[in-house]
Amino acid sequence: MSIVSVVAASLYLGLLPLSHAAPIEAFATANSCTAPRGTLFLNGDVGIPGTFNTRDYIHPGADVIINGTWSTHVYSSTSRDYVRIHVTPALSAQGLWWDIAFSTQQLGTPLAVGLYTNAQRAPFADPGHPGLSVSGDGRGCNTLAGEFQIHDIVWDSVGLLKLSASFLQRCEAGTPVLRGMVAYERQ
């Protein structure tokens, strides 16, 4: 997907204001995430051959996944501090599956609206660090550095009702970046 397509998708998803001039680093700290529920947006660095600008290992390039099968797993219904969203895209060209995990277990608080910096790989985050993990098609980070922002989260007596979040992760704490957002609502 070209940078023009990435900017267009970002505007559509509500990740960037119309006046935003630098789309590449804005994803994890966007002020809002107004994408339709059931949307996963992934935008990983594609790299430049022959340079030190390397590609993201998890998802080089950009995809907006809106058709597929969605499921969630909440690891503790009482503490509400670890959520994994699983997406199986309807189009195999968008990958066979994607998992996105957000955790505040090592912070001792439930997931809530807010910005979580200094994230480490969930579920292996050290005390004092939030957990994040975006993986798919058999690719995952051994370790990572990142951040995520929960824009909207609603719980009910069954569990997670809806979640809207943006994220940024660097595998092995390297320079290639995977940015994205997820908007989920239980049917």
Side-chain angles (χ1 to χ4, degrees):
M1 183 179 269
S2 71
I3 189 68
V4 173
S5 299
V6 170
V7 171
S10 300
L11 291 170
Y12 166 75
L13 296 172
L15 291 170
L16 298 175
L18 289 173
S19 62
H20 201 282
I24 297 303
E25 292 301 328
F27 294 99
T29 57
N31 292 326
S32 66
C33 188
T34 58
R37 302 299 174 187
T39 301
L40 174 60
F41 177 61
L42 299 169
N43 179 29
D45 287 344
V46 294
I48 300 171
T51 70
F52 291 107
N53 183 353
T54 55
R55 58 189 280 156
D56 177 62
Y57 174 66
I58 306 301
H59 189 282
D63 262 320
V64 178
I65 301 165
I66 56 173
N67 293 315
T69 306
W70 292 69
S71 62
T72 61
H73 185 80
V74 176
Y75 288 81
S76 172
S77 60
T78 55
S79 60
R80 298 179 173 176
D81 59 6
Y82 196 115
V83 170
R84 182 176 56 88
I85 297 173
H86 179 81
V87 182
T88 303
L91 301 172
S92 62
Q94 292 181 312
L96 300 177
W97 57 269
W98 297 101
D99 280 331
I100 304 94
F102 302 104
S103 171
T104 52
Q105 283 182 328
Q106 295 299 329
L107 299 176
T109 62
L111 284 164
V113 171
L115 177 64
Y116 298 89
T117 59
N118 299 313
Q120 297 177 343
R121 182 178 168 211
F124 306 108
D126 291 330
H129 291 271
L132 168 68
S133 180
V134 181
S135 60
D137 279 352
R139 294 183 306 276
C141 304
N142 291 317
T143 63
L144 67 83
E147 63 184 51
F148 61 94
Q149 184 168 356
I150 304 288
H151 301 281
D152 185 25
I153 189 165
V154 178
W155 302 90
D156 64 12
S157 61
V158 175
L160 181 67
L161 178 61
K162 64 181 176 177
L163 171 75
S164 176
S166 50
F167 53 84
L168 180 147
Q169 96 175 3
R170 291 180 170 88
C171 282
E172 319 325 326
T175 55
V177 178
L178 174 63
R179 304 157 193 83
M181 61 79 48
V182 61
Y184 165 82
E185 186 166 1
R186 186 177 67 234
Q187 299 295 325

